[in-house]
Amino acid sequence: QKEVEQDPGPLSVPEGAIVSLNCTYSNSAFQYFMWYRQYSRKGPELLMYTYSSGNKEDGRFTAQVDKSSKYISLFIRDSQPSDSATYLCAMILYGGSQGNLIFGKGTKLSVKP
Amino acid sequence: NAGVTQTPKFQVLKTGQSMTLQCAQDMNHEYMSWYRQDPGMGLRLIHYSVGAGITDQGEVPNGYNVSRSTTEDFPLRLLSAAPSQTSVYFCASSLPGQTNTGELFFGEGSRLTVL
């Protein structure tokens, strides 16, 4: 079993839809959870991060962590064509270094006007 | 503010050739790393460095060398290129405090094809 599982998609939605992106993980010691956004032919950029369980909201984006289920989600409200990108989840152990960051394989999202 | 700069952006090599992918950052970040990204495989860590003079291996280090003589630069060397090294390579950096939150700053990538 991979440490981090992420459905690769592709996921296609109409503009204005609510998008739900998810990852599951196996190591209960993960403490920091991140979502990166990667536009085509660009490097990933950090979108949001959360520590331990709970929700975090930033504009149209909400990150949710359920440690009991080992499940994290990213919700995008009122999705826009500019949200079309690949979204990668990532996580790290508490006290871990840069070398211990584990990425999911990414979900490709397309928002159609 | 340049951030993380990678050169070249595109490169085609023949099997057995060697080359160096350059990475430079102007944010005074101590942590730097190299990833490769392949379809269906996601981002995989090749090598990383926690500061000048210190390097360590990641998940897929074979066939690659790194050195870190300055804080700004972290070149990745392919010793004898193989078709299996065809990939998109990303350099990333971060400050120590940001490392634990996973905030990495990535370059735009170097696309390498080995024939």
Side-chain angles (χ1 to χ4, degrees):
Chain A
Q1 182 187 10
K2 298 286 186 185
E3 278 198 286
V4 178
E5 300 275 6
Q6 185 175 10
D7 188 334
L11 182 63
S12 182
V13 302
E15 183 176 354
I18 296 173
V19 176
S20 173
L21 303 168
N22 311 295
C23 287
T24 59
Y25 62 95
S26 57
N27 190 341
S28 58
F30 285 129
Q31 290 282 353
Y32 289 93
F33 303 90
M34 288 130 287
W35 287 96
Y36 280 80
R37 178 175 61 194
Q38 184 176 19
Y39 290 115
S40 180
R41 297 184 174 268
K42 297 290 186 181
E45 56 179 348
L46 182 68
L47 189 60
M48 297 182 70
Y49 77 87
T50 55
Y51 171 69
S52 195
S53 285
N55 293 359
K56 186 173 185 178
E57 189 173 318
D58 184 2
R60 296 184 295 109
F61 298 87
T62 299
Q64 199 170 73
V65 175
D66 183 349
K67 291 199 73 182
S68 62
S69 302
K70 298 193 184 70
Y71 190 87
I72 69 171
S73 301
L74 177 70
F75 298 97
I76 306 174
R77 292 184 301 279
D78 187 25
S79 56
Q80 302 296 309
S82 58
D83 296 327
S84 297
T86 296
Y87 290 80
L88 302 108
C89 64
M91 45 201 78
I92 194 168
L93 303 171
Y94 179 76
S97 70
Q98 188 185 50
N100 302 123
L101 187 60
I102 307 295
F103 283 91
K105 293 182 181 179
T107 300
K108 188 172 184 178
L109 171 67
S110 177
V111 181
K112 304 295 186 183
Chain B
N1 188 0
V4 179
T5 303
Q6 291 183 234
T7 56
K9 289 191 181 341
F10 301 93
Q11 183 71 49
V12 178
L13 290 178
K14 294 182 180 178
T15 297
Q17 287 184 319
S18 62
M19 78 157 298
T20 299
L21 299 177
Q22 302 290 346
C23 176
Q25 52 89 11
D26 61 359
M27 298 174 283
N28 202 31
H29 286 172
E30 291 189 19
Y31 288 90
M32 296 186 73
S33 56
W34 278 101
Y35 290 85
R36 58 178 292 174
Q37 188 174 41
D38 303 289
M41 300 295 291
L43 283 164
R44 292 183 292 170
L45 182 65
I46 305 171
H47 285 284
Y48 66 100
S49 168
V50 299
I54 306 169
T55 63
D56 207 346
Q57 297 181 348
E59 180 186 355
V60 289
N62 292 340
Y64 306 95
N65 270 0
V66 292
S67 59
R68 184 92 180 272
S69 55
T70 67
T71 299
E72 294 77 22
D73 301 297
F74 191 43
L76 178 72
R77 297 182 187 84
L78 281 71
L79 309 173
S80 177
S84 60
Q85 293 179 304
T86 293
S87 187
V88 182
Y89 292 86
F90 288 99
C91 179
S93 72
S94 71
L95 286 170
Q98 293 169 323
T99 296
N100 284 343
T101 63
E103 184 169 13
L104 295 175
F105 295 83
F106 285 85
E108 294 208 337
S110 296
R111 294 178 175 273
L112 176 67
T113 301
V114 183
L115 302 175

